[in-house]
Amino acid sequence: MFIFYFLLIFLAFLLVITILSSVIKFSLLLTTRHKYETSLLIVPSILNLISWSIILYLWSITINHVIGKDIFTIIFDKILNLLSLREIIVSLLPTTIIYLLIGLILQALSFFSVNIPYRKIKNKIKLFINKIFKIQLKINEDVKAIVISDDEEKLNLLNSFIASIFTFSLVFFIITMCFSVGHIISDKVMTLLKT
């Protein structure tokens, strides 16, 4: 049973990383006009997922201290129409804005990991293994030179921040649409249960 849960969690993780890397790739393409390879976006996607997970965890703890309810209870009450968000919006807004800005900055910084010269690091590791263990790896002269190709484009701070805002907006739009669909379905289900 443990293996089944592990595989299920691992599959969900891979699915989230794949979707997130696709969104990041699209955002960076729009802001830099440069198409990054998918392999370069794995590390930014993982860093992005970790940073937003930490931000959401801290945000939910803060909301729990300020309002006295956890975020899942608030969302569930809103879906079932047991709560009006107008009652708690004044308490939620300042905290949410602060954590949102921190999350956008961390996300922009996570995008900078596309500037890491992965090919150069891989080639250095190959040469190191070759020297230490005397293993004859297939290393051509281009690899020995260990240069980054000229077509690799460095991501700057402005493009990274714009891509971060665009990525957040796109993900927020998708989550809002799913939440709206869930709200409509719950309204219909509650109407059917009442009749």
Side-chain angles (χ1 to χ4, degrees), residues 110-142:
S110 73
F111 288 175
F112 271 110
S113 59
V114 298
N115 290 337
I116 297 172
Y118 297 104
R119 194 177 301 130
K120 187 175 181 181
I121 293 169
K122 179 183 166 188
N123 293 339
K124 280 189 175 181
I125 291 171
K126 273 187 180 179
L127 288 174
F128 178 75
I129 291 172
N130 190 22
K131 285 179 184 177
I132 296 296
F133 297 108
K134 305 291 186 207
I135 299 172
Q136 293 300 320
L137 297 173
K138 291 182 181 178
I139 301 173
N140 57 23
E141 293 303 316
D142 293 334

Side-chain angles (χ1 to χ4, degrees), residues 70-86:
D70 62 69
I71 190 66
F72 297 110
T73 305
I74 294 170
I75 291 172
F76 191 69
D77 287 350
K78 176 58 184 160
I79 289 174
L80 295 177
N81 288 327
L82 301 174
L83 176 72
S84 173
L85 279 182
R86 289 177 189 160

Side-chain angles (χ1 to χ4, degrees), residues 42-55:
I42 294 172
V43 174
S45 300
I46 292 171
L47 291 175
N48 198 8
L49 185 64
I50 291 169
S51 63
W52 277 111
S53 298
I54 292 169
I55 290 292

